[in-house]
Amino acid sequence: MGEKYGIIVGGIIKSKNKYLLVQEAKKEFYQKWNLPSGHLKSNESLLLGAKREIKEETGIDVKLTNICLVGKDTHALIILFTANAKEKKENYHTKEILNSKWFSYEEILNIKDDLRYPILILNAINNVENQILSDLKIIKNIK
């Protein structure tokens, strides 16, 4: 039997040329910075799952605007969206997240060793910086 394989959804929130990252509280990735993201529930659409995960990890309600990265690793398919904050009240789950902080692109490059998934995070942010984005209309729920 193969290993369990999941879907990770999340987003990139950019405001005033800064990106919001969250600092992990989980033992395995303790204090590593990450994009707000997590596992899609089996009954959720991609868009609702991404909004939920972003809200759980940042406290911010968002409007998803584009797809900025689709990739996979050994454990999951990863779909990341660009997102606009509907309000700026950050409030995160302290069991999962230690902190949240806004970083400039240059600051993120300087903390590369402190990122949970440097290649994934930097590729997603590079896509945003270079406007390599896909319209949300490409997503279809098939039943």
Side-chain angles (χ1 to χ4, degrees):
M1 294 292 298
E3 218 177 290
K4 186 177 177 184
Y5 197 80
I7 299 172
I8 302 291
V9 290
I12 292 182
I13 304 170
K14 184 179 180 182
S15 179
K16 298 178 183 171
N17 288 319
K18 292 201 172 200
Y19 295 92
L20 186 62
L21 298 182
V22 294
Q23 193 174 38
E24 300 276 355
K26 295 176 197 154
K27 188 176 180 180
E28 185 180 2
F29 300 104
Y30 189 72
Q31 294 186 331
K32 293 288 186 179
W33 292 98
N34 197 9
L35 297 168
S37 57
H39 290 275
L40 182 71
K41 294 179 180 177
S42 62
N43 62 341
E44 284 182 308
S45 72
L46 295 171
L47 299 177
L48 289 177
K51 288 180 185 180
R52 176 187 54 76
E53 281 294 341
I54 292 167
K55 172 108 179 179
E56 284 179 5
E57 295 198 354
T58 66
I60 298 173
D61 284 311
V62 296
K63 178 181 186 222
L64 302 178
T65 53
N66 291 288
I67 302 167
C68 64
L69 184 129
V70 177
K72 75 177 274 310
D73 67 8
T74 56
H75 301 327
L77 174 68
I78 302 157
I79 303 165
L80 297 175
F81 299 88
T82 55
N84 292 331
K86 292 182 180 178
E87 89 287 328
K88 297 282 196 283
K89 290 186 270 180
E90 295 167 49
N91 182 20
Y92 42 86
H93 279 194
T94 54
K95 288 183 182 177
E96 291 184 26
I97 304 299
L98 296 171
N99 195 6
S100 64
K101 184 177 174 184
W102 294 90
F103 292 90
S104 70
Y105 180 70
E106 293 75 24
E107 289 170 328
I108 293 170
L109 291 174
N110 289 332
I111 63 162
K112 191 163 101 171
D113 293 339
D114 295 324
L115 299 176
R116 179 172 174 177
Y117 299 114
I119 293 170
L120 174 79
I121 294 167
L122 293 173
N123 274 307
I125 291 173
N126 282 329
N127 286 350
V128 172
E129 288 287 314
N130 294 302
Q131 292 293 299
I132 302 170
L133 307 169
S134 292
D135 194 287
L136 294 180
K137 292 177 191 168
I138 200 167
I139 298 172
K140 302 293 181 215
N141 289 320
I142 303 165
K143 294 186 179 198

